[in-house]
């Protein structure tokens, strides 16, 4: 009710329909209409999802202008704000440390 107050007979927004589908298809694993502790754990920390890999792929996809799957110094510098705001670089913290490999 905080995000959407359904008026009687009124249509639901698309995002509500999508969330209902996500809940019934993927979140409510035992189909009891509510999420228990294990279902919440699986949702928040899925075993088959690598957050670091997903973030790295996102950074490369967004910054790799020539789509060669490699980032040049120029591509990184041209998209510095994306890297500074990234979880993969601890929100820019890793970019300010001295690194021998850089």
């Amino acid at each position: 009710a905080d995000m959407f107050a359904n008026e009687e007979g009124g249509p639901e927004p698309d995002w509500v329909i999508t969330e209902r589908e996500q809940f019934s298809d993927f979140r409510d694993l035992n189909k009891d209409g509510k999420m228990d502790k294990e279902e919440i754990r699986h949702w928040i920390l899925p075993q088959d999802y690598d957050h670091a890999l997903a973030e790295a792929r996102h950074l490369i996809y967004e910054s790799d202008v020539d789509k060669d799957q490699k980032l040049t110094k120029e591509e990184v510098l041209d998209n510095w704000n994306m890297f500074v705001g990234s979880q993969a670089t601890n929100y820019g913290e890793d970019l300010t440390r001295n690194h021998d490999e850089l």
Side-chain angles (χ1 to χ4, degrees):
D2 290 342
M3 297 174 64
F4 170 68
N6 191 2
E7 298 175 13
E8 284 192 42
E12 289 184 333
D14 290 342
W15 70 268
V16 172
I17 295 168
T18 300
E19 287 301 316
R20 285 186 195 282
E21 290 171 357
Q22 287 290 318
F23 177 81
S24 64
D25 294 345
F26 302 108
R27 308 238 194 290
D28 185 18
L29 300 175
N30 63 7
K31 306 299 182 200
D32 67 352
K34 57 187 176 187
M35 290 178 70
D36 60 30
K37 192 175 188 177
E38 285 304 312
E39 290 167 329
I40 292 170
R41 180 178 289 122
H42 183 267
W43 172 43
I44 294 173
L45 299 169
Q47 298 298 313
D48 57 347
Y49 184 76
D50 185 336
H51 293 279
L53 181 59
E55 180 66 9
R57 286 181 176 159
H58 168 72
L59 290 172
I60 291 171
Y61 177 81
E62 293 295 331
S63 302
D64 186 18
V65 176
D66 59 9
K67 302 301 179 198
D68 65 353
Q69 296 296 307
K70 298 175 187 173
L71 295 179
T72 63
K73 181 179 178 179
E74 290 75 23
E75 287 172 327
V76 173
L77 292 176
D78 287 346
N79 293 289
W80 67 271
N81 56 339
M82 186 172 306
F83 288 88
V84 170
S86 171
Q87 291 178 9
T89 61
N90 290 325
Y91 297 100
E93 184 178 316
D94 289 345
L95 298 178
T96 60
R97 294 185 187 159
N98 290 332
H99 291 274
D100 292 339
E101 71 274 13
L102 296 178

